[in-house]
């Protein structure tokens, strides 16, 4: 079992956030992730960055839902990119490619992917259709990475223990 957390960026004009969070939980469960925590965060850069960073210390995967459009308050992508250790552009490309095959309107949204310590952070649009289209193509790949990190940590513990 893998641990995940969901951060929902509060956006004006979107009433589907509870449905989207539940859908995200179901998708994660289908891929063997247990949701450790979920919270809603105001679209304020300092608050969002703190929530992402603190959540990444406790979960192997952090999903940031919403705040990925082109409006002034859509800052989730910038928040993620400003605090990650390493950017995972291959994950971003895979997510965008899959979403655009389903609906060309998603060309107006952005996503971000990267790592903070031994946690993967994904920022994806918060619309109900988008969650599945962005997450499903990358979750097995992320599990492979998490397994490698776990083996590396286990080997390090065995060597020093």
């Amino acid at each position: 079992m893998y641990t995940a957390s969901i951060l929902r960026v509060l956006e004006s004009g979107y009433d589907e956030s509870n449905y989207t969070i539940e859908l995200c939980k179901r998708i994660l469960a289908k891929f063997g992730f247990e949701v450790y925590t979920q919270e809603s965060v105001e679209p304020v850069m300092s608050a969002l960055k703190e929530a992402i960073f603190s959540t990444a210390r406790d979960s192997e995967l952090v999903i940031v839902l919403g705040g990925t459009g082109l409006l002034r308050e859509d800052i989730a992508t910038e928040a993620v990119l400003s605090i990650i250790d390493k950017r995972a552009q291959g994950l971003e490309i895979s997510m965008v490619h899959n979403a655009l095959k389903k609906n060309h309107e998603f060309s107006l949204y952005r996503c971000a992917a990267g790592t903070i310590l031994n946690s993967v952070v994904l920022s994806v649009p918060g619309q109900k259709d988008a969650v599945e289209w962005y997450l499903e193509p990358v979750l097995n790949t992320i599990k492979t990475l998490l397994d490698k990190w776990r083996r590396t940590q286990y080997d390090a513990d065995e060597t020093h223990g």
Side-chain angles (χ1 to χ4, degrees):
M1 187 63 75
Y2 304 89
T3 59
S5 291
I6 301 170
L7 299 175
R8 175 70 171 129
V9 179
L10 295 172
E11 298 176 279
S12 60
Y14 288 97
D15 295 329
E16 57 190 26
S17 63
N18 287 336
Y19 176 82
T20 303
I21 289 171
E22 292 306 313
L23 176 62
C24 187
K25 285 177 166 179
R26 286 194 302 272
I27 294 166
L28 291 169
K30 183 168 84 171
F31 283 85
F33 286 88
E34 180 181 349
V35 175
Y36 172 73
T37 186
Q38 70 181 52
E39 83 180 78
S40 295
V41 183
E42 292 290 332
V44 175
M45 186 63 77
S46 58
L48 189 52
K49 286 168 64 170
E50 174 57 32
I52 294 166
F53 189 78
S54 64
T55 304
R57 290 182 295 212
D58 297 326
S59 295
E60 294 171 299
L61 174 63
V62 178
I63 307 291
V64 181
L65 291 174
T68 61
L70 298 173
L71 300 175
R72 182 198 306 277
E73 64 268 14
D74 292 330
I75 60 167
T77 304
E78 289 76 19
V80 169
L81 292 175
S82 72
I83 63 171
I84 56 174
D85 298 324
K86 294 184 181 193
R87 188 171 182 184
Q89 289 174 304
L91 294 176
E92 293 171 1
I93 291 167
S94 182
M95 291 189 295
V96 170
H97 175 73
N98 193 58
L100 289 176
K101 286 191 310 186
K102 309 291 185 183
N103 183 341
H104 71 280
E105 293 289 323
F106 283 108
S107 60
L108 295 174
Y109 294 90
R110 302 163 302 132
C111 68
T115 62
I116 297 175
L117 303 171
N118 284 342
S119 181
V120 176
V121 180
L122 303 177
S123 171
V124 299
Q127 291 87 341
K128 60 183 178 182
D129 293 336
V131 174
E132 180 178 5
W133 297 340
Y134 278 82
L135 293 182
E136 287 202 345
V138 299
L139 289 175
N140 280 328
T141 302
I142 290 169
K143 286 172 33 179
T144 300
L145 174 62
L146 296 175
D147 289 340
K148 287 179 184 177
W149 283 346
R150 286 176 174 182
R151 280 193 303 279
T152 302
Q153 183 61 43
Y154 176 79
D155 292 344
D157 290 346
E158 288 295 309
T159 302
H160 299 314

